[in-house]
Amino acid sequence: MRAVLRTAAAAATALALLLTGCGGGGGRADGRITIRFQSLAWQKESVDANKQLVKEWNASHPDVRVQYVQGSWDSVHDQLLTSFEGDEAPDVIHDASDDLADFAYGGYLADLRTLLPDRLTADIPQQSWQTSTFDGGVYGVPFLQEPRVLIANTRVLKASGVRIPTPARPWSWTEFRRITKELTGKGRYGVAWPLKEPVSATLNLGLSAGGELFHRGADGKVTLAMDEGDLVVPRTIRDQVGTDHSAARTALGMGGGDTLPGLFGGKYAMVPLGFSFRQQVAEQAPKGFEWTVLPAPAGSAGLAQGVSPQTLSVAQDSPHKKEAVEFIDFLLRPANMVRLAKGDWMLPTGRAALADPSLHTADRGWATGAALAGALRSAPAQSVRGYPEWKDKVATPAFQEYYSGAIDVAELRKRLVQDGNRVLARYQR
């Protein structure tokens, strides 16, 4: 029933957005321009910050009015595809970088290279720009990002006497496995891996061990190859679940938020989660629960991990690209980027915003997250055409079966690589 309601809600959202788009953009008889900004903000703090910034823009730009349109992460891909094909796309589009490839290659998004101001291009690091660069063009401005961290029960850590990792001295993957065994006791697992959607977590954390999985040849074509570095994270998780019994098997089918009651109740000592989950912990934790934010384990490549930042793009068919980019530049001024980051409990990509002292406090783990920002890289499959099909049809079931113990590493490699290359080949003919 809930699945039906979600589907109905997504359809209603898409219809409402399309109806909002009809006649909503373009110029007006009085000469004033209206551009539509579709935001995917959903947390109250984030929605309030976005709407307030739109209000401030409109107050200071009487000739270019921005209309705020509320979108949804649950339905954004299909909704955007429908709006692109119906010539009703919003002018400014909020999305995630890993959702942009097909839209960029399909000609639906504007190449921003000649439109972006020097201030913005210089402020955001090149490794962030790589997440929204496809075939040499830049199709989105990456502005918010989140590393994966360990959210841990402070009392359990202190009582165990284990070494507490820091960004300067993180745990290795080997040490992490050993420590989760030490933290496991009567009625408690050392860690819970919420892997309902296992692919991005596995691949992004795998960068720390030198894993790449996707390899682009001199001809530009991408093939899959699974080396030892790609296996460090999967083997660690598999061993924790099946050999050490230090990771909860029942958590493998959970989403991140599903593990929080177990964390609060002492069933799990640690949970690997996205940085923004700190808000749910802060708001939902029972009185007296003490928690801390730790860096994810490091491998041969240090603390490196893949991310898919939130992005702002401009529709190719927008008649007001210049004004749309000017609004993006306003949204992403350093002080404004800090407001957006705090609203979403994430990290800004911009160097000036990231240097803000409020993002370097020990309170609620902000300093730990900020210290990891320099290690964030483009997610391994960021620009790979055919990745969504490979992820859904090949990688997700393969990883789920491997982590549960249903298949061995040889079968995992066969499915990911051999079956995967057949999928990618269809997109690269």
Side-chain angles (χ1 to χ4, degrees):
M1 176 59 72
R2 282 179 293 181
V4 172
L5 291 175
R6 285 197 299 270
T7 302
T13 299
L15 177 60
L17 289 165
L18 286 174
L19 291 176
T20 302
C22 295
R28 290 176 37 168
D30 59 7
R32 186 171 69 173
I33 290 171
T34 298
I35 58 178
R36 289 176 295 122
F37 163 43
Q38 179 173 303
S39 169
L40 301 181
W42 63 276
Q43 300 177 94
K44 185 180 185 303
E45 293 175 66
S46 182
V47 172
D48 290 348
N50 277 271
K51 287 185 174 180
Q52 180 59 34
L53 286 169
V54 168
K55 183 178 180 180
E56 292 173 16
W57 166 276
N58 286 336
S60 59
H61 296 79
D63 295 330
V64 182
R65 176 179 176 271
V66 172
Q67 176 187 355
Y68 181 93
V69 179
Q70 185 62 61
S72 168
W73 285 108
D74 292 336
S75 58
V76 65
H77 184 88
D78 291 341
Q79 177 265 317
L80 283 174
L81 185 60
T82 301
S83 65
F84 285 135
E85 293 179 346
D87 296 325
E88 293 292 349
D91 300 275
V92 178
I93 298 164
H94 181 188
D95 203 351
S97 59
D98 61 356
D99 192 40
L100 299 184
D102 288 342
F103 295 142
Y105 286 118
Y108 295 122
L109 300 177
D111 184 350
L112 303 177
R113 285 177 295 177
T114 61
L115 297 169
L116 293 170
D118 292 341
R119 179 205 70 80
L120 195 56
T121 55
D123 186 45
I124 296 175
Q126 183 57 35
Q127 69 237 37
S128 294
W129 284 116
Q130 289 174 353
T131 66
S132 57
T133 299
F134 307 96
D135 199 23
V138 174
Y139 295 94
V141 181
F143 70 106
L144 293 180
Q145 58 188 346
E146 62 172 330
R148 293 180 186 271
V149 294
L150 299 171
I151 297 182
N153 184 318
T154 302
R155 290 182 179 177
V156 170
L157 287 181
K158 288 181 177 178
S160 71
V162 301
R163 181 179 75 82
I164 307 300
T166 65
R169 289 191 63 217
W171 289 328
S172 67
W173 284 100
T174 300
E175 188 178 12
F176 174 60
R177 180 184 171 188
R178 175 178 58 78
I179 284 172
T180 57
K181 287 167 60 176
E182 293 182 24
L183 294 176
T184 299
K186 186 177 181 180
R188 184 182 69 233
Y189 292 96
V191 66
W193 283 96
L195 292 175
K196 183 178 181 179
E197 297 183 3
V199 182
S200 63
T202 304
L203 269 57
N204 288 342
L205 288 173
L207 286 184
S208 67
E212 295 182 19
L213 199 61
F214 295 90
H215 302 268
R216 191 176 296 276
D219 59 359
K221 292 186 177 182
V222 176
T223 56
L224 287 147
M226 200 167 194
D227 302 320
E228 284 303 304
D230 298 299
L231 292 171
V232 170
V233 173
R235 279 177 170 156
T236 299
I237 298 172
R238 163 91 168 225
D239 289 341
Q240 287 173 322
V241 173
T243 302
D244 304 337
H245 307 293
S246 60
R249 183 180 297 274
T250 54
L252 294 176
M254 294 182 180
D258 300 330
T259 61
L260 295 184
L263 178 67
F264 301 151
K267 185 177 181 180
Y268 316 130
M270 296 182 290
V271 182
L273 293 168
F275 194 55
S276 63
F277 272 92
R278 295 171 304 126
Q279 180 179 23
Q280 291 186 46
V281 175
E283 293 178 349
Q284 298 174 16
K287 186 177 181 180
F289 179 76
E290 298 178 17
W291 56 283
T292 189
V293 177
L294 309 175
S300 60
L303 288 166
Q305 59 175 281
V307 292
S308 298
Q310 294 186 23
T311 55
L312 294 171
S313 301
V314 176
Q316 175 61 33
D317 288 342
S318 170
H320 307 298
K321 294 183 181 66
K322 175 177 175 291
E323 292 80 6
V325 171
E326 288 174 352
F327 172 64
I328 291 174
D329 184 42
F330 167 80
L331 273 183
L332 303 186
R333 290 175 182 174
N336 294 344
M337 197 184 283
V338 171
R339 291 163 68 182
L340 294 172
K342 286 184 172 180
D344 257 334
W345 289 61
M346 297 177 74
L347 299 175
T349 58
R351 294 184 178 92
L354 190 61
D356 190 281
S358 66
L359 301 181
H360 292 263
T361 65
D363 181 49
R364 298 176 177 179
W366 279 108
T368 297
L372 300 176
L376 303 182
R377 301 289 182 265
S378 177
Q382 197 76 59
S383 61
V384 177
R385 300 200 73 177
Y387 169 72
E389 180 180 342
W390 174 81
K391 180 186 73 172
D392 293 342
K393 296 182 179 180
V394 177
T396 295
F399 276 123
Q400 288 174 336
E401 291 182 47
Y402 176 71
Y403 290 140
S404 70
I407 62 173
D408 62 13
V409 70
E411 179 64 17
L412 175 69
R413 179 184 274 116
K414 174 181 176 295
R415 292 195 194 179
L416 295 182
V417 176
Q418 294 184 22
D419 296 350
N421 279 328
R422 282 194 288 269
V423 171
L424 299 189
R426 293 204 313 270
Y427 289 82
Q428 301 181 99
R429 289 171 182 165

